[in-house]
Amino acid sequence: MSQRIPDRLDPWRYADLGKTVSGVFKLDALPRLCRCLSETEGEVHFDLRFERDSERRAVLTGSITADLVLECQRCLEAVSYPVEANVSLAFVEGIEQAGLLPEALDPCLVEDDRLVFKDLIEDELLLLLPQVAMHETGACPAALAAKGEDEPVETENRSDRNPFAVLADLKRDKE
């Protein structure tokens, strides 16, 4: 399934040839992503097609999937986070070209007519990471432990009172 992917490739040439690139990368081969992960074991699977669209733009479509292990920010334990990116990119050489793309296509800036393929895969995965990783509601060990603790003693609920009522009470006490 995996084929030899060059480190740097010409996306316009690949699009002209209609190349399909499928394969697997080890997660530990993606250093920027690894800094965000709790565990770096695992693989990234990708199935991508380079082609020309109806406007003759060089585009990349397909999918990237991985099962990432992040650190839950509630309990600091590992949490599995499966991701699947549906890729729909157009290769551009500058900001002006990027501004002309339809909303369905995301721009991918290519410098020096070459693209570092692993960086593209890594960028797509980084965009899928949650802002705050957490277990599903009710599945977090920290949340379950908190439910098991004794209920706190109820205090008077003042949330429905006017916050300035306390000041009024103090004023009345002085009179």
Side-chain angles (χ1 to χ4, degrees):
M1 177 179 176
S2 185
Q3 64 189 49
R4 169 79 171 94
I5 308 295
D7 291 335
R8 298 175 65 83
L9 57 86
D10 180 346
W12 289 279
R13 182 169 173 265
Y14 269 55
D16 288 338
L17 297 172
K19 289 233 180 201
T20 298
V21 180
S22 298
V24 178
F25 286 139
K26 295 285 186 189
L27 281 175
D28 59 10
L30 307 172
R32 291 179 295 139
L33 179 65
C34 284
R35 287 192 295 262
C36 302
L37 302 178
S38 179
E39 297 175 15
T40 59
E41 297 294 316
E43 299 175 329
V44 177
H45 299 266
F46 54 91
D47 183 23
L48 302 168
R49 286 178 308 285
F50 291 84
E51 57 193 355
R52 294 282 181 172
D53 68 1
S54 61
E55 301 292 322
R56 301 293 304 148
R57 291 182 287 250
V59 296
L60 178 68
T61 58
S63 65
I64 302 170
T65 59
D67 191 18
L68 307 177
V69 180
L70 306 172
E71 185 177 83
C72 174
Q73 296 303 298
R74 279 191 200 120
C75 66
L76 303 179
E77 298 291 327
V79 58
S80 178
Y81 190 75
V83 294
E84 181 171 351
N86 292 314
V87 179
S88 186
L89 302 173
F91 300 105
V92 296
E93 294 178 296
I95 300 297
E96 302 81 31
Q97 287 181 345
L100 299 174
L101 293 176
E103 285 189 33
L105 290 172
D106 292 325
C108 180
L109 184 63
V110 179
E111 297 173 351
D112 303 325
D113 293 331
R114 295 280 181 220
L115 172 72
V116 179
F117 190 72
K118 278 188 181 180
D119 287 352
L120 180 128
I121 300 287
E122 190 170 27
D123 289 344
E124 289 299 313
L125 290 171
L126 285 167
L127 289 170
L128 293 173
L129 292 177
Q131 287 183 352
V132 178
M134 291 186 285
H135 286 98
E136 292 291 323
T137 304
C140 184
L144 294 173
K147 282 184 180 180
E149 292 179 4
D150 294 330
E151 293 295 319
V153 177
E154 286 192 34
T155 58
E156 182 181 332
N157 184 1
R158 295 183 180 182
S159 63
D160 57 343
R161 291 181 59 192
N162 182 340
F164 298 107
V166 173
L167 295 175
D169 289 343
L170 289 173
K171 186 177 179 183
R172 245 183 269 123
D173 289 343
K174 284 188 175 185
E175 295 177 352

